[in-house]
Amino acid sequence: MKLIPIGIENFKEMIDKNYYYIDKTNLIIDFLNEQVIFCTRPRRFGKTFNMSMLYYFFSIKEKENAYLFDHLNISKNKEALKHQNKYPTILISLKEMKSSSFKAQIISFSNIIYELLEKNLEILSSAQLTDTTKKKLNSLHDETTSIEDLKFSLRVISNALYTHYHQKVIVLIDEYDVPLQSAYQNNYYDEMVDFLRSVFSSVLKTNDALEKGIMIGCLRISKESIFTGLNNFTSYSILNNGGNEYFSFNENEVKQLLEDYIDEIKEWYGGYLFGNTEIYNLWSTLMYVKNKIQDQSFKPVSF
């Protein structure tokens, strides 16, 4: 019996430790067919894990981990494999931006940019870049830059990566809506919208260095506010049929996981309908399986 991956969000850990994994790598093919994807799903439906999977597949720095995909569906797609580990890849998560003030949120975002540059130190001294660009990058790295410069930080970094590697950039933004939730709750929503609108538009819309991008979160924020000027994305929401098979489990996958108890699982954890696809809550289903393995008399509870 394989290990049950409760709380595992890192794709490499999932594969290396041989956790039970239902193959979602066909998401990569859909991603290759779009310019920018905007995806919303509830909590605990595998969003962050899928972002990790995309990172390991596309990142030029993860060539030694190409084996992770050897026996998965994507390995059968020769066209998709031409893109494997080809691109400089930016992966950031805004999940820690939960501060009660706008000033504190800017500090949090500045730290996210610092950590991103720590993973890409080669561009700070790249002979391919101008002194002006390197000065901007070092200012971002030292966390001494202005709010206005932070608004365009991801575009500056992606352009620097493009120049250094001579290859356009994949941009992955996870939990994009978390800072907006905190802003709404603490009465600085307009300031936060203005800031993030500039961040997202500059990197995903007005950016010649962009190959492809994806933003994922729980909430759909009004296009009229945060996405003004960003009209080049494909939306994967729970109201349409795009991408529903890639997040959490559908009924056939639950049957594979624990066929003998499908009726009990369906009664307690089914009932989500994304487009025309019936979906089961990922976290609850895995907790059920874990407890069932330990105790065959276990009865479901709601998580």
Side-chain angles (χ1 to χ4, degrees), residues 11-13 15-16 21 23 25 28 52-77 80-87:
F11 181 75
K12 177 176 170 60
E13 182 181 0
I15 302 302
D16 280 347
Y21 174 56
D23 195 330
T25 56
I28 295 166
S52 175
M53 176 189 71
L54 291 171
Y55 175 79
Y56 278 105
F57 184 84
F58 287 109
S59 176
I60 201 169
K61 294 188 173 185
E62 298 296 338
K63 292 180 180 179
E64 71 276 12
N65 287 313
Y67 71 89
L68 296 171
F69 298 89
D70 282 352
H71 303 293
L72 300 177
N73 291 338
I74 198 66
S75 66
K76 303 170 187 175
N77 190 307
L81 291 178
K82 293 178 181 178
H83 298 270
Q84 188 172 15
N85 302 124
K86 180 180 177 180
Y87 303 96

Side-chain angles (χ1 to χ4, degrees), residues 209-266:
L210 180 69
E211 177 67 24
K212 296 183 183 297
I214 184 169
M215 291 176 58
I216 286 183
C218 292
L219 300 177
R220 174 67 184 263
I221 306 300
S222 170
K223 184 175 180 179
E224 286 69 28
S225 58
I226 198 168
F227 295 129
T228 301
L230 188 61
N231 56 9
N232 62 330
F233 63 79
T234 299
S235 177
Y236 282 6
S237 78
I238 63 173
L239 301 179
N240 59 40
N241 290 317
N244 289 324
E245 66 269 33
Y246 305 132
F247 297 89
S248 201
F249 301 145
N250 61 37
E251 186 160 333
N252 287 334
E253 291 166 342
V254 172
K255 286 179 179 178
Q256 292 176 37
L257 184 62
L258 207 63
E259 184 172 7
D260 290 345
Y261 302 97
I262 185 62
D263 290 339
E264 190 170 64
I265 296 176
K266 185 181 182 72

Side-chain angles (χ1 to χ4, degrees), residues 7 9 27 40 43 56 81 136 230 266:
E9 296 184 336
L27 171 62
T40 53
R43 292 178 65 243
Y56 278 105
L81 291 178
K136 284 187 176 182
L230 188 61
K266 185 181 182 72

Side-chain angles (χ1 to χ4, degrees), residues 35-36 168-169 171 203-205 207-213:
Q35 175 68 19
V36 177
K168 289 192 175 185
V169 179
V171 176
V203 71
L204 296 176
K205 178 63 176 178
N207 187 5
D208 292 336
L210 180 69
E211 177 67 24
K212 296 183 183 297

Side-chain angles (χ1 to χ4, degrees), residues 5-8 43-45 248-249 280-288 303:
I6 305 296
I8 303 300
R43 292 178 65 243
R44 295 177 173 174
F45 274 73
S248 201
F249 301 145
Y280 288 71
N281 182 281
L282 176 68
W283 174 269
S284 299
T285 302
L286 290 176
M287 288 297 293
Y288 174 93
F303 287 91

